Amino acid sequence: MTTLGLPDAIRACLFDMDGVLTQTATVHAAAWKETFDAFLRRRDGAGFRPFDAVTDYDEYVDGMPRADGVRSFLASRGIHLPEGDDDDPPERETVHGLGNRKNTLVLQKIKEMGVRAYPGSVRYAEAARAAGLHRAVVSSSANCHDVLVAAGIDRLFEVRIDGVVAAEQHLPGKPRPDTFLAAAHALGVPPSQAAVFEDALAGMEAGRAGKFGFVVGVNRAGQAEALRRHGADVVVDDLAELLEEAS
């Protein structure tokens, strides 16, 4: 193992953003809850069963592109909505309308609350840069660039594969490995020499499906065993633990 707690063959680090680099996963969960609860109240009335910002978030939407998250959660409730169009207004009850409502809420919450990076993740990314490893951010968020800039960490990464790039290149989102594979390709590194850092179960599955050299599960939601079952080689509560273990 290297001083970064990685196998010697690893030459690149591919980081998810929300929940791994930045403390924005809770903001996303709150925005999903507000979006789905309003929709479900209108639809189900007295039989309303709220969106759970922990279990439903982890199981159905975490790490996925917005439209996929809408479809995934609604399918769990036996609900099917028309797809609609990418530019549907937030009040329209379509897959894209609900997704756009969630995005509006996320942007409002980020503007109100700001964005903070995890100090241990910043330390780790800086150590990876100092060690000469390539670094990429892989996120389903279309707001990835703005969030990284707001957190003051955008310059730590050479490549960004986010929701905008995925749409332009027609890359399916996690749990498919395509966005991670695109990041490794952009860095000039084969998957076997790249490590994936993820907090979402969908991200674990993407790391396993892409046959990456190492998959690190970041346990922000008390789901260490689930992360292992879904493909993590190692699970930590904070990336700084890898530096401490290797020292």
Side-chain angles (χ1 to χ4, degrees):
M1 293 295 239
T2 67
T3 55
L4 295 169
L6 302 173
D8 292 338
I10 297 299
R11 295 171 47 212
C13 298
L14 314 179
F15 298 94
D16 175 50
M17 182 178 70
D18 298 310
V20 173
L21 296 173
T22 60
Q23 300 179 36
T24 42
T26 54
V27 176
H28 284 276
W32 278 120
K33 180 171 177 59
E34 189 171 337
T35 298
F36 283 132
D37 282 1
F39 167 75
L40 292 169
R41 279 195 190 93
R42 289 192 300 270
R43 183 182 186 276
D44 299 336
F48 162 67
R49 179 160 58 97
F51 175 87
D52 190 295
V54 177
T55 57
D56 286 333
Y57 177 76
D58 291 342
E59 183 71 21
Y60 302 115
V61 302
D62 189 17
M64 294 185 182
R66 282 198 303 270
D68 290 348
V70 173
R71 295 187 199 98
S72 174
F73 172 69
L74 293 184
S76 77
R77 298 290 180 94
I79 301 171
H80 175 78
L81 286 182
E83 285 293 303
D85 299 312
D86 289 345
D87 59 354
D88 274 1
E91 64 273 11
R92 187 163 295 166
E93 292 191 349
T94 62
V95 168
H96 289 288
L98 285 185
N100 290 339
R101 174 61 179 161
K102 181 262 178 179
N103 190 51
T104 298
L105 290 170
V106 162
L107 294 177
Q108 288 175 354
K109 292 177 186 299
I110 287 175
K111 184 176 180 180
E112 293 166 1
M113 301 163 58
V115 177
R116 293 183 61 193
Y118 287 101
S121 297
V122 175
R123 280 180 54 205
Y124 192 88
E126 289 173 341
R129 179 174 62 181
L133 271 64
H134 296 295
R135 302 153 321 280
V137 176
V138 182
S139 172
S140 61
S141 174
N143 307 310
C144 180
H145 175 259
D146 291 341
V147 171
L148 292 174
V149 170
I153 59 173
D154 54 305
R155 296 190 180 183
L156 280 173
F157 307 99
E158 303 158 79
V159 165
R160 185 183 74 254
I161 303 294
D162 59 11
V164 175
V165 175
E168 291 173 348
Q169 298 185 11
H170 306 289
L171 301 172
K174 308 164 192 176
R176 293 277 295 275
D178 300 60
T179 50
F180 282 115
L181 292 171
H185 178 76
L187 292 172
V189 174
S192 62
Q193 296 179 8
V196 167
F197 298 78
E198 262 282 0
D199 70 316
L201 302 183
M204 294 294 95
E205 294 178 16
R208 179 167 58 186
K211 302 186 185 307
F212 289 91
F214 203 62
V215 179
V216 178
V218 184
N219 182 33
R220 305 290 192 197
Q223 54 180 358
E225 288 307 312
L227 290 168
R228 292 187 180 94
R229 287 198 307 272
H230 285 259
D233 293 303
V234 65
V235 175
V236 295
D237 292 332
D238 189 275
L239 293 188
E241 294 174 28
L242 294 173
L243 299 174
E244 293 162 4
E245 291 172 4
S247 62

